[in-house]
Amino acid sequence: MASPAFLPELATQVVVPVAAVVGIAFAVLQWVLVSKVKLSPEPRRGDGSSGKSGAGASEYLIEEEEGLNEHNVVVKCAEIQNAISEGATSFLFTEYKYVGLFMGIFAILIFLFLGSVEGFSTKSQPCHYSKGKTCKPALANALFSTIAFVLGAVTSLVSGFLGMKIATYANARTTLEARKGVGKAFITAFRSGAVMGFLLAASGLFVLYIAINLFGIYYGDDWEGLYEAITGYGLGGSSMALFGRVGGGIYTKAADVGADLVGKVERNIPEDDPRNPAVIADNVGDNVGDIAGMGSDLFGSYAESSCAALVVASISSFGINHEFTPMLYPLLISSVGIIACLITTLFATDFFEIKAVDQIEPALKKQLIISTAVMTVGIALVSWLGLPYSFTIFNFGAQKTVYNWQLFLCVAVGLWAGLVIGFVTEYYTSNAYSPVQDVADSCRTGAATNVIFGLALGYKSVIIPIFAIAFSIFLSFSLAAMYGVAVAALGMLSTIATGLAIDAYGPISDNAGGIAEMAGMSHRIRERTDALDAAGNTTAAIGKGFAIGSAALVSLALFGAFVSRAEILTVDVLTPKVFIGLIVGAMLPYWFSAMTMKSVGSAALKMVEEVRRQFNTIPGLMEGTTKPDYATCVKISTDASIKEMIPPGALVMLTPLIVGILFGVETLSGVLAGALVSGVQIAISASNTGGAWDNAKKYIEAGVSDHAKALGPKGSDPHKAAVIGDTIGDPLKDTSGPSLNILIKLMAVESLVFAPFFATHGGILFKWL
């Protein structure tokens, strides 16, 4: 008999929702602090200086020093921010109409497929794992899986939308704070990112906790059915993330590529120049792709890793003996993660002040290190209080004895592997290190050598992250079977609030720089926003590294749960059924990448043509005496992304259904394994290649070192070669790469949700043969 956990059920029922509420309250507090930066000119004192007193030199505005009209600058910033916010909101509402239609159709499919497993019977059925016991009818599982799917989908959409709203609320405020110093601007951008990070982490946890308790009223002692139904939550979160990532990625990169190729290469005007017709669409794209898309993506990862851990735990001693606290161990990890990230955030915003540009990137890196260290202590505490000393974990038909310290190691190895992946990603994508500097240097001989060096860097950057993932899988599986892998993924995502804060910080800083340029602000302010943006580019790459690493672990855990639920005893790659699945699955990420990159190319082609047309036909546009037609470019990006996101989304969503129904669960297991293995490699290399090209361009533009000055200035041949590399890398790092991690997770969780149907009715073709 296993010893009970120290933490009683009542305490768990209090700790989880309280942590979620604290996270939401902290997000609101950060928003209130950001809102104190007013988008209106400050009252003047009699001596001509701004109305703030006693704030020291950091409050002294650059405009006062340079004699610029502060009133006009602030009004312009507010106007530009409104245009970006309206464009982003309009796009998301258009996207959500189509996604909502898909959500309704897919919810009906879930209900019909799962309900048909027992012929829509309302009678209790024998339990799948606990032989001799009766569980709730398949029709109930179909209904509750459908409800969980809708809950996950709505939470994902709301998370992305709220993240976009706070980002568009904060971008101009970051620009205005840059007048007072780089430290003030950094705090505003970081606090805004924290709003998104904590809202998403806390709301995801809270909705999952509420769903478990409400579903529990009906399911009672049938925990097997309860947590099987809860997996729909992960499917809903990830399916919305797919469309958010692909649609947002196509939007942002079509605008970015169009703006860069015509504006920077052909017309030799600065980035974010207000004369460029695509400039508003480009800034809108940063929010719908990198904020709304990334938010939905990491929410999907969190939901799936939680669901994978819960479904495996429900058929282990926790579920069999109805031990509530150990059962909710995944939610306790997430609860402690919110508190750990809250403490960590204070180090960036309150405990230390950034006074120089070169302190920005170290401050963001410290966030990762501090959150990981604090979280390690939190995991140890939760493992000691929330788990019995020994217990059994389901392991492919058998029960494996595990100790609480072993589970602590599983979560901790995932957490620290995430940090390793983050720092390796930083090394390969930051212009402070030799890999990116080598790529920049290769621009001396033109775009071709830049492309060659960039591709080589991306391929090489895969090595250490894959070893980190492999080590995590080996250790966690050895200690606690598939449950160990699932909680390792949860460990990697336990600091999701901090990860999202530093990730969202990047697009906010990017927008801030764009607004500074469009508002005609001092070049010294643009230098500050460029420094914030360069650090943000690296942190965005780190965020993508976390997302891809956790996706690999989540997919493997979901794969294990699927194999168990579909009653596959072994996956033998030497059998034709499995091998054909394996080779087709390995091909899918290439097919998906081809579709998304061609979509960006098609949309960018229309954008380039439109931007060229405006420059050639609108009199006075290049001279700055006439305003460009921004709205047409916004419409091109919107229409293209909505149209082009459907085929890649359909490929991912329909593949498990078609393979499962026609070829059966063994072939589907091969498809999932193949997609996981090849998808992770392509995702890492694509994201890092694109990030390296982007920062190589920024390295030349900044001209900080003698080496960079020798390659510059802007408009030089090496700079033009760097812009072309960055343009090629844009769809890799912001569309194809990040979307691939959703592909491998989504196919796995969808297969798990539909596993009962595939096991009962699947493999039609092989039955005929």
Side-chain angles (χ1 to χ4, degrees):
M1 180 75 182
S3 57
F6 285 104
L7 204 63
E9 179 179 334
L10 180 62
T12 306
Q13 291 278 28
V14 171
V15 167
V16 175
V18 165
V21 170
V22 166
I24 293 168
F26 186 72
V28 171
L29 173 64
Q30 299 304 301
W31 178 80
V32 168
L33 292 170
V34 170
S35 67
K36 288 186 176 179
V37 180
K38 298 299 179 189
L39 272 184
S40 56
E42 292 175 358
R44 318 291 291 182
R45 290 206 303 259
D47 60 1
S49 63
S50 69
K52 296 201 173 192
S53 59
S58 64
E59 292 289 303
Y60 192 76
L61 300 182
I62 283 179
E63 282 86 347
E64 293 168 15
E65 186 182 319
E66 299 188 352
L68 296 175
N69 187 332
E70 182 204 346
H71 177 85
N72 287 347
V73 163
V74 177
V75 170
K76 272 187 184 176
C77 285
E79 286 174 359
I80 296 162
Q81 186 207 55
N82 286 337
I84 293 169
S85 181
E86 285 170 14
T89 304
S90 171
F91 168 73
L92 284 184
F93 276 130
T94 307
E95 182 185 54
Y96 288 175
K97 281 180 194 171
Y98 289 89
V99 169
L101 179 66
F102 156 80
M103 186 170 72
I105 294 169
F106 209 77
I108 294 167
L109 278 182
I110 292 171
F111 180 74
L112 293 177
F113 277 38
L114 295 185
S116 68
V117 171
E118 295 288 334
F120 296 98
S121 169
T122 55
K123 294 178 182 177
S124 295
Q125 57 179 343
C127 293
H128 184 76
Y129 294 101
S130 306
K131 306 298 181 187
K133 292 185 179 178
T134 55
C135 288
K136 298 294 182 184
L139 190 64
N141 286 1
L143 177 63
F144 281 98
S145 292
T146 306
I147 293 169
F149 169 79
V150 173
L151 271 177
V154 170
T155 308
S156 180
L157 293 180
V158 170
S159 298
F161 183 77
L162 289 177
M164 181 279 298
K165 290 305 282 184
I166 184 61
T168 54
Y169 181 81
N171 49 18
R173 287 171 167 80
T174 302
T175 310
L176 295 176
E177 286 294 270
R179 299 176 301 163
K180 302 172 185 174
V182 73
K184 297 281 185 186
F186 171 81
I187 287 175
T188 302
F190 189 80
R191 278 190 170 138
S192 308
V195 174
M196 179 186 179
F198 282 91
L199 263 182
L200 187 143
S203 60
L205 174 65
F206 193 68
V207 173
L208 185 56
Y209 169 80
I210 294 293
I212 288 169
N213 278 279
L214 289 179
F215 285 18
I217 295 170
Y218 170 78
Y219 276 98
D221 287 344
D222 178 13
W223 284 17
E224 183 184 306
L226 164 61
Y227 291 104
E228 193 172 294
I230 285 290
T231 55
Y233 184 72
L235 176 59
S238 236
S239 55
M240 296 304 104
L242 175 70
F243 290 105
R245 257 301 189 199
V246 173
I250 293 168
Y251 185 109
T252 181
K253 291 306 111 182
D256 200 359
V257 170
D260 281 0
L261 279 181
V262 182
K264 291 167 78 171
V265 176
E266 294 180 10
R267 295 285 171 164
N268 202 21
I269 59 175
E271 190 166 359
D272 297 313
D273 192 298
R275 293 172 291 176
N276 195 324
V279 73
I280 292 289
D282 186 10
N283 281 284
V284 169
D286 290 335
N287 294 289
V288 298
D290 292 341
I291 298 279
M294 183 66 175
S296 292
D297 180 2
L298 281 180
F299 168 78
S301 285
Y302 162 74
E304 283 165 328
S305 57
S306 299
C307 292
L310 289 167
V311 80
V312 176
S314 69
I315 50 178
S316 301
S317 62
F318 305 150
I320 295 166
N321 302 329
H322 293 90
E323 299 172 61
F324 186 79
T325 296
M327 187 67 219
L328 289 198
Y329 178 69
L331 272 64
L332 287 169
I333 292 171
S334 301
S335 303
V336 173
I338 289 171
I339 305 304
C341 291
L342 192 155
I343 295 165
T344 306
T345 302
L346 299 177
F347 281 89
T349 58
D350 295 87
F351 297 160
F352 297 104
E353 186 183 353
I354 287 176
K355 294 178 180 173
V357 163
D358 58 4
Q359 294 175 339
I360 299 170
E361 204 164 308
L364 293 169
K365 282 163 65 177
K366 280 176 193 167
Q367 284 288 296
L368 291 174
I369 297 166
I370 294 166
S371 62
T372 303
V374 173
M375 191 59 205
T376 306
V377 177
I379 295 165
L381 200 63
V382 167
S383 301
W384 176 56
L385 293 175
L387 294 172
Y389 178 68
S390 67
F391 43 89
T392 62
I393 291 295
F394 184 83
N395 182 27
F396 298 107
Q399 292 284 345
K400 175 184 173 73
T401 301
V402 178
Y403 298 96
N404 56 8
W405 61 266
Q406 291 177 313
L407 219 49
F408 159 73
L409 287 177
C410 293
V411 185
V413 77
L415 176 68
W416 284 92
L419 188 68
V420 169
I421 291 170
F423 279 122
V424 170
T425 304
E426 189 224 4
Y427 174 73
Y428 280 106
T429 56
S430 170
N431 55 29
Y433 303 105
S434 59
V436 170
Q437 291 172 11
D438 289 344
V439 172
D441 188 67
S442 70
C443 295
R444 287 183 296 110
T445 48
T449 44
N450 179 30
V451 170
I452 293 166
F453 270 69
L455 288 172
L457 178 147
Y459 296 150
K460 192 176 178 184
S461 71
V462 172
I463 299 167
I464 298 174
I466 290 298
F467 276 119
I469 292 167
F471 177 74
S472 303
I473 291 169
F474 177 78
L475 185 67
S476 54
F477 188 86
S478 300
L479 293 174
M482 278 300 174
Y483 187 68
V485 177
V487 293
L490 208 55
M492 200 176 279
L493 290 164
S494 59
T495 53
I496 186 174
T498 294
L500 266 171
I502 64 174
D503 200 80
Y505 154 90
I508 292 168
S509 301
D510 192 356
N511 264 202
I515 290 170
E517 183 74 45
M518 284 185 273
M521 296 174 85
S522 161
H523 73 281
R524 290 165 61 191
I525 291 178
R526 185 68 215 231
E527 282 171 9
R528 290 173 179 178
T529 56
D530 279 352
L532 293 169
D533 183 25
N537 263 336
T538 303
T539 58
I542 291 171
K544 291 180 184 104
F546 268 98
I548 295 162
S550 62
L553 296 176
V554 169
S555 301
L556 184 59
L558 291 166
F559 176 71
F562 163 73
V563 167
S564 297
R565 185 63 185 84
E567 297 180 304
I568 303 170
L569 298 177
T570 54
V571 180
D572 185 355
V573 296
L574 296 177
T575 59
K577 280 184 183 180
V578 176
F579 191 79
I580 60 167
L582 199 66
I583 200 162
V584 168
M587 172 273 294
L588 286 173
Y590 290 93
W591 188 2
F592 179 83
S593 297
M595 292 170 87
T596 51
M597 290 191 71
K598 189 167 183 285
S599 297
V600 171
S602 303
L605 192 65
K606 292 175 188 169
M607 187 67 73
V608 166
E609 288 170 352
E610 174 59 23
V611 175
R612 279 179 183 158
R613 183 194 69 78
Q614 291 197 32
F615 272 122
N616 292 332
T617 60
I618 298 177
L621 185 56
M622 268 304 285
E623 293 75 24
T625 56
T626 311
K627 275 191 173 183
D629 179 9
Y630 297 125
T632 301
C633 290
V634 169
K635 187 174 188 307
I636 287 172
S637 264
T638 302
D639 293 347
S641 57
I642 297 297
K643 178 187 168 189
E644 299 284 353
M645 75 177 182
I646 295 167
L651 173 70
V652 178
M653 299 300 293
L654 295 179
T655 296
L657 292 176
I658 293 169
V659 174
I661 293 168
L662 296 182
F663 300 97
V665 289
E666 288 178 315
T667 304
L668 181 54
S669 67
V671 168
L672 296 179
L676 166 59
V677 170
S678 78
V680 171
Q681 326 283 336
I682 303 169
I684 295 172
S685 64
S687 294
N688 290 350
T689 293
W693 276 327
D694 193 351
N695 273 340
K697 177 199 71 175
K698 283 191 164 52
Y699 175 75
I700 294 171
E701 289 176 346
V704 175
S705 66
D706 291 338
H707 177 234
K709 284 174 186 168
L711 296 168
K714 288 182 181 180
S716 65
D717 286 340
H719 176 248
K720 285 182 178 178
V723 171
I724 290 168
D726 175 38
T727 307
I728 297 168
D730 274 337
L732 285 172
K733 74 178 171 67
D734 289 323
T735 310
S736 297
S739 300
L740 279 171
N741 69 70
I742 304 175
L743 174 143
I744 58 177
K745 292 180 304 184
L746 184 51
M747 284 175 55
V749 73
E750 187 182 339
S751 300
L752 174 58
V753 168
F754 286 102
F757 177 80
F758 295 150
T760 308
H761 301 299
I764 293 170
L765 283 184
F766 287 132
K767 285 175 184 174
W768 288 348
L769 294 174

